[in-house]
Amino acid sequence: MRKQGELALPGEELAVIEEFMPGDGTYEDEGKIRSAITGKIFYDMLNRKSNVIVVKKSPLINLRKAKYMIGVVDSITGENARVSVYAVEEKNVGDSISAILHVSQIANKRISSISSYLKPGDIIRAKPITSRIPISLTTKPNDCGVILAKCSICGTLMTREDEEHLRCPYCNNIETRKIGLYAVKKNGRKTSQKE
Ligand SMILES: [Zn+2]
């Protein structure tokens, strides 16, 4: 038996019919209960008649409603950046979700080359504009964009310099980004820490 709350994939065996009744999001197949959807497993042990197993739709299905996502830029090819989303709003997702950020969705102004505004390894906050995987993202809103980046020369975490520049506190290298709610202030402290 799998654990309560674990992620189930379609077709995956969850229990046998002697233990559980198939509930929402599941189906029976030759005495075995399998998941019909991608979602979270819920073993209902307190149902009056019998134990019921239900698979609830996971955040993966409700991506369209997410206000923002947090991900890391994996690579940049041509007009697209490939992003691995590891959190939807405040919730971590088990396996990262693949997403795409197109050059036209980076900022409200015209950008000719992605790599002058985004680099592999950058952590971004972005808004989903589609829900099918790979998800299309936008970083146009003010609170979206790069939230953490390392200096491409020496690897030190950079601090926010102005609207669209980050400075490396170690080698003074300055780089351009579409900046979101950036996580490190000039003094190197995390924004969330109390002064
Ligand atoms: Zn540096």
Side-chain angles (χ1 to χ4, degrees):
M1 199 168 109
R2 301 278 306 274
K3 283 190 187 129
Q4 195 77 271
E6 272 189 337
L7 186 72
L9 300 172
E12 206 172 325
E13 184 184 331
L14 305 174
V16 291
I17 202 77
E18 287 80 14
E19 304 171 296
F20 287 96
M21 294 277 291
D24 291 346
T26 71
Y27 64 95
E28 192 202 329
D29 167 33
E30 297 184 342
K32 286 169 181 162
I33 301 173
R34 296 181 188 276
S35 180
I37 58 173
T38 301
K40 278 191 173 176
I41 303 172
F42 178 64
Y43 292 100
D44 182 358
M45 307 295 199
L46 299 173
N47 194 286
R48 243 177 279 164
K49 287 176 188 162
S50 57
N51 296 326
V52 175
I53 184 166
V54 170
V55 176
K56 293 179 178 169
K57 282 186 182 178
S58 74
L60 290 174
I61 309 296
N62 296 324
L63 292 174
R64 197 190 298 264
K65 286 179 188 161
K67 290 190 188 81
Y68 66 92
M69 298 177 167
I70 307 292
V72 57
V73 177
D74 291 326
S75 62
I76 293 167
T77 29
E79 296 193 319
N80 290 297
R82 293 199 152 268
V83 177
S84 291
V85 170
Y86 59 80
V88 175
E89 294 175 3
E90 302 301 321
K91 294 180 214 103
N92 283 332
V93 291
D95 295 315
S96 65
I97 306 164
S98 48
I100 298 276
L101 177 58
H102 187 258
V103 65
S104 63
Q105 288 297 335
I106 290 183
N108 285 313
K109 60 177 179 181
R110 208 182 132 81
I111 287 173
S112 52
S113 147
I114 298 184
S115 34
S116 48
Y117 281 84
L118 206 62
K119 295 219 176 354
D122 286 358
I123 309 292
I124 63 165
R125 177 187 165 109
K127 199 179 177 329
I129 47 180
T130 63
S131 57
R132 212 185 316 152
I133 295 170
I135 300 157
S136 294
L137 301 172
T138 179
T139 54
K140 283 181 177 180
N142 281 340
D143 61 349
C144 291
V146 174
I147 58 170
L148 204 57
K150 287 178 178 172
C151 169
S152 34
I153 297 172
C154 73
T156 306
L157 279 183
M158 292 193 288
T159 58
R160 184 180 168 142
E161 182 70 11
D162 60 31
E163 288 277 292
E164 54 172 28
H165 293 99
L166 301 173
R167 178 192 289 274
C168 170
Y170 184 75
C171 73
N172 271 327
N173 170 38
I174 289 192
E175 297 186 16
T176 311
R177 294 290 196 282
K178 161 61 171 88
I179 300 170
L181 294 172
Y182 200 72
V184 188
K185 279 188 183 173
K186 266 190 187 176
N187 60 13
R189 286 194 208 164
K190 286 193 174 162
T191 313
S192 56
Q193 280 179 340
K194 287 194 175 142
E195 307 276 309

